[in-house]
């Protein structure tokens, strides 16, 4: 059904060399939630498809990325001197912007590679050492950390409420439910740690 939907809609499945569809989870409202990856040399989409018994209910993607994509695209056209000047003049963190745009599979790998650093940041915040934690966050090219109830989040970034980051909970029961209106995807990378996107 999803492949047929893609052929009818904007995403035009025939333009992509890699298409994968994998279950992402369930929620109290939806019978299944799927992760659909569309990839080619030029572009990629990570889509989150919400289904009910009678078919597809909603399709979501990290929104409002066009400005970030434009900045990264222009930056890639610069020579090395221009790149240095741009970074000094704007204080932009291009690695951070690229992480925001990265495919989920790359973000999952980034998360797995940096789990020890994530835990260190979590422990620093828990111990009241927020300045040291902020330095660690910056070294990983992340934006900031925040807490919400029993959830600890390391934000990569995004535009307004369209964000991507890593979420830590001690108990899986404290995870938010996925929905088309807030946490559009949550995927486990290790015990207590998850990749997430919001809208």
């Amino acid at each position: 059904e999803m492949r047929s939907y893609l052929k009818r809609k904007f995403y035009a499945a025939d333009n992509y060399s890699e298409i994968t569809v994998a279950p992402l989870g369930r929620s109290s409202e939806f019978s299944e939630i799927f992760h659909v990856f569309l990839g080619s040399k030029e572009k990629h989409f990570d889509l989150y498809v919400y289904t009910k018994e009678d078919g597809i209910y909603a399709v979501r993607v990290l929104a409002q990325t066009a400005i970030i994509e434009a900045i990264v695209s222009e930056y890639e056209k610069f020579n090395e001197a221009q790149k240095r000047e741009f970074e000094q003049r704007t204080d932009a963190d291009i690695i951070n912007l690229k992480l925001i745009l990265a495919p989920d599979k790359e973000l999952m790998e980034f998360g797995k590679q940096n789990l020890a650093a994530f835990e260190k940041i979590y422990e620093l915040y828990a111990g009241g050492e927020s300045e040291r934690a902020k330095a660690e966050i910056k070294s990983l090219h992340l934006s900031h950390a925040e807490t919400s109830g029993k959830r600890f989040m390391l934000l990569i970034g995004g535009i307004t409420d369209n964000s991507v980051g890593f979420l830590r909970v001690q108990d899986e029961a404290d995870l938010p439910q996925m929905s088309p209106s807030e946490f559009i995807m949550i995927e486990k990378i290790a015990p207590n740690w998850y990749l997430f996107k919001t809208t």
Side-chain angles (χ1 to χ4, degrees), residues 71 75 83 86-97 141:
I71 292 168
Y75 176 86
K83 286 179 179 178
F86 174 82
E87 289 164 6
Q88 290 167 355
R89 195 165 31 91
T90 63
D91 198 31
D93 184 345
I94 292 297
I95 295 173
N96 172 265
L97 298 180
H141 302 281

Side-chain angles (χ1 to χ4, degrees), residues 6-101:
L6 291 168
K7 286 181 183 292
R8 292 195 315 267
K9 300 293 181 178
F10 166 78
Y11 299 108
D14 293 334
N15 296 336
Y16 296 93
S17 56
E18 183 182 353
I19 301 174
T20 60
V21 180
L24 189 57
R26 297 171 182 260
S27 75
S28 58
E29 188 179 355
F30 299 97
S31 55
E32 289 286 347
I33 303 167
F34 293 94
H35 173 216
V36 178
F37 176 77
L38 306 174
S40 71
K41 285 184 179 179
E42 294 79 32
K43 58 187 173 179
H44 73 271
F45 286 101
D46 284 287
L47 305 172
Y48 314 104
V49 181
Y50 291 78
T51 65
K52 293 188 176 181
E53 295 304 324
D54 57 349
I56 294 171
Y57 175 83
V59 179
R60 294 292 181 265
V61 64
L62 184 66
Q64 297 187 358
T65 57
I67 293 170
I68 299 169
E69 290 168 3
I71 292 168
V72 170
S73 176
E74 287 304 308
Y75 176 86
E76 294 299 342
K77 295 174 187 173
F78 293 161
N79 62 37
E80 291 306 311
Q82 290 171 317
K83 286 179 179 178
R84 283 193 299 275
E85 181 186 347
F86 174 82
E87 289 164 6
Q88 290 167 355
R89 195 165 31 91
T90 63
D91 198 31
D93 184 345
I94 292 297
I95 295 173
N96 172 265
L97 298 180
K98 288 180 178 181
L99 278 173
I100 294 168
L101 301 174

